[in-house]
Coordinates of all heavy atoms in Angstrom, one line a residue:
R10 N 127.8 68.5 -5.0 CA 129.0 68.3 -4.2 C 129.9 67.2 -4.9 O 131.1 67.4 -5.0 CB 128.6 67.8 -2.8 CG 129.9 67.7 -2.0 CD 129.5 67.4 -0.5 NE 130.7 67.1 0.2 CZ 131.4 66.0 0.3 NH1 130.9 64.9 -0.3 NH2 132.5 65.8 1.0
C31 N 131.9 78.9 -9.2 CA 132.3 77.6 -8.8 C 132.7 76.8 -10.1 O 132.4 77.2 -11.2 CB 131.2 76.9 -8.0 SG 131.1 77.6 -6.3
A35 N 125.2 74.7 -12.5 CA 124.1 74.5 -11.6 C 123.2 73.3 -11.9 O 123.1 72.9 -13.1 CB 123.2 75.7 -11.6
S53 N 140.5 78.7 -4.9 CA 139.5 78.5 -3.8 C 139.6 77.1 -3.3 O 139.7 76.1 -4.0 CB 138.1 78.7 -4.4 OG 137.1 78.3 -3.4
Y56 N 133.7 76.1 -0.5 CA 132.6 76.7 -1.2 C 131.3 76.4 -0.4 O 131.3 75.5 0.5 CB 132.4 76.1 -2.6 CG 132.0 74.7 -2.6 CD1 130.7 74.3 -2.6 CD2 133.0 73.7 -2.6 CE1 130.4 72.9 -2.6 CE2 132.7 72.4 -2.6 CZ 131.4 72.0 -2.6 OH 131.0 70.6 -2.6
A64 N 109.1 80.3 -5.1 CA 107.9 80.8 -4.5 C 106.7 80.3 -5.3 O 105.7 79.8 -4.7 CB 107.8 82.3 -4.4
G67 N 105.3 76.9 -4.4 CA 104.9 76.7 -3.0 C 106.1 76.4 -2.0 O 105.9 75.8 -1.0
N76 N 128.3 72.4 2.0 CA 129.7 72.9 1.7 C 130.6 71.7 1.3 O 130.2 70.5 1.3 CB 130.2 73.7 2.8 CG 130.6 73.0 4.0 OD1 130.7 71.7 4.1 ND2 130.8 73.7 5.1
S78 N 132.8 70.3 3.0 CA 133.0 69.3 4.0 C 131.8 68.5 4.3 O 131.7 67.7 5.3 CB 133.4 70.1 5.3 OG 134.7 70.7 5.1
A82 N 123.0 72.2 6.1 CA 122.2 73.1 7.0 C 120.9 73.5 6.3 O 120.8 73.6 5.1 CB 123.1 74.4 7.2
T84 N 118.7 76.8 6.5 CA 118.8 78.2 7.0 C 117.5 78.8 7.2 O 117.3 79.6 8.1 CB 119.7 79.0 6.0 OG1 119.1 79.0 4.7 CG2 121.1 78.5 6.0
T88 N 106.6 78.5 5.7 CA 105.5 78.9 6.6 C 104.7 77.6 7.0 O 104.4 76.8 6.1 CB 104.6 79.9 6.0 OG1 105.4 81.0 5.6 CG2 103.5 80.3 6.9
V100 N 116.5 69.8 7.3 CA 115.2 69.5 8.0 C 114.3 68.9 6.9 O 114.1 69.4 5.8 CB 114.5 70.8 8.6 CG1 113.1 70.4 9.0 CG2 115.4 71.3 9.7
S106 N 112.4 67.8 12.4 CA 113.4 66.7 12.5 C 114.2 66.6 11.1 O 113.6 66.9 10.1 CB 112.8 65.4 13.0 OG 111.9 65.0 12.1

Side-chain angles (χ1 to χ4, degrees):
R10 182 175 176 275
C31 284
S53 176
Y56 68 90
N76 70 15
S78 297
T84 58
T88 305
V100 173
S106 61

